[in-house]
Structure formats: C-alpha cells, structure tokens
Amino acid sequence: MNRRTTLAAAIALSASLALAGCSGSGDGAEPELKVSGAFMPEPVMDDMAAGFLTVKNSGGTADKLTSVTSDIAGEVQIHETKNQKMQEVESFDIPADGELNLERGGSHIMFLKLKQKPKQGEKVSVELHFEKSGPLKVELPVKETTHNPQKH
C-alpha cells in the first residue's frame, strides 16, 4: 500500500510541475507587438510609394519583421538606407522591450508596381509578417507628399 501512495504522489507532483511549465503566456516572455504612427506620403510617381510606421515590442522576447504584403502593389519590399543608398533586406529586428522605427531617411516599406496611385485622405491596407508573432493588419493613412512627423 505504501508503494501505491508514493507512486500516486510522484505522478501528482510530475503533473503539477508539467502544468506549471505550460503557463508561459502572459509573463512577458513572448513578443507583444503594437503599431503606431503609420502613414504613406502621397506618391509622386505612378508606380512606387513608401510607407512608414513604428512597431513597439513590449514583450520580453525579440522578434523580426520578415515581410509586408498589400493588395495595392505588385511587390512590397522592406528597405534600409545606408550611406544614402536604399537596399532591400530580408528582415528587421524588433528588440525585446524596444521598437523598430521605419521612417523617412532610414528603414522603410517600399511599394513597387502600384496597381493604383493612392491619394491624400485615402488609406492603404497592409499586413505585417513576423518571425514569431502572428500577422498584423495595419491601415496607412495617405498624407501629403512632404509629411514628416517629428519624434518627441
């Protein structure tokens, strides 16, 4: 009888430890992404446009922006600007408890082969894809061509 009690206690302890290990969500260990400041300046060219936004990660794990999709363009790329030259990149890091800033003169979203030229006052729908987190749908309001918000 003593062996059965010990075995039952060991099984109960193992089960409770396994369940405790599964309670990882909500502890800040996963990326928690939120987008702000999204906009697209009204394009001056008929076939390409740029998009800008900030992805804030309040979670305890880093993530990566791996791609962007949108119905408005035949192709959407993510670009960085180095030494005043634009180049496509595979991904952008979003640090834990940090942010990714896509802004004029720096990293940005590039819309190529536009199917229609968006006008000021309209909104462009995009979907952001990440390495770890699920996709995020974002609306980019189309602003005047020279729009450049200042960071505080």
Side-chain angles (χ1 to χ4, degrees):
M1 195 67 147
N2 197 7
R3 238 196 255 176
R4 280 189 185 159
T5 306
T6 304
L7 180 61
I11 290 171
L13 179 61
S14 295
S16 67
L17 288 174
L19 287 173
C22 292
S23 65
S25 63
D27 63 0
E30 296 178 10
E32 292 177 32
L33 307 179
K34 187 175 183 179
V35 175
S36 64
F39 74 97
M40 172 189 281
E42 185 173 346
V44 285
M45 303 181 81
D46 289 335
D47 62 343
M48 68 175 70
F52 307 97
L53 50 80
T54 298
V55 181
K56 183 166 178 45
N57 181 0
S58 57
T61 300
D63 206 343
K64 289 180 185 279
L65 175 66
T66 56
S67 68
V68 179
T69 55
S70 178
D71 291 340
I72 199 169
E75 186 177 354
V76 183
Q77 299 176 353
I78 51 177
H79 285 186
E80 69 178 1
T81 304
K82 282 193 175 173
N83 301 321
Q84 299 180 343
K85 289 190 179 183
M86 221 174 34
Q87 64 185 31
E88 184 178 6
V89 294
E90 293 288 317
S91 64
F92 284 121
D93 292 330
I94 308 167
D97 296 314
E99 58 186 34
L100 165 65
N101 292 308
L102 301 182
E103 56 195 1
R104 285 186 179 267
S107 301
H108 58 278
I109 302 166
M110 198 76 212
F111 299 85
L112 305 170
K113 303 175 193 162
L114 288 177
K115 298 175 183 176
Q116 66 197 44
K117 185 176 174 181
K119 303 277 185 230
Q120 186 175 337
E122 296 177 350
K123 290 187 178 178
V124 173
S125 295
V126 301
E127 190 168 84
L128 308 176
H129 302 271
F130 303 94
E131 182 179 71
K132 296 175 184 164
S133 303
L136 286 177
K137 291 183 189 277
V138 179
E139 296 283 318
L140 278 68
V142 180
K143 303 287 189 176
E144 66 273 8
T145 304
T146 58
H147 183 71
N148 193 13
Q150 298 302 312
K151 297 224 176 246
H152 299 290

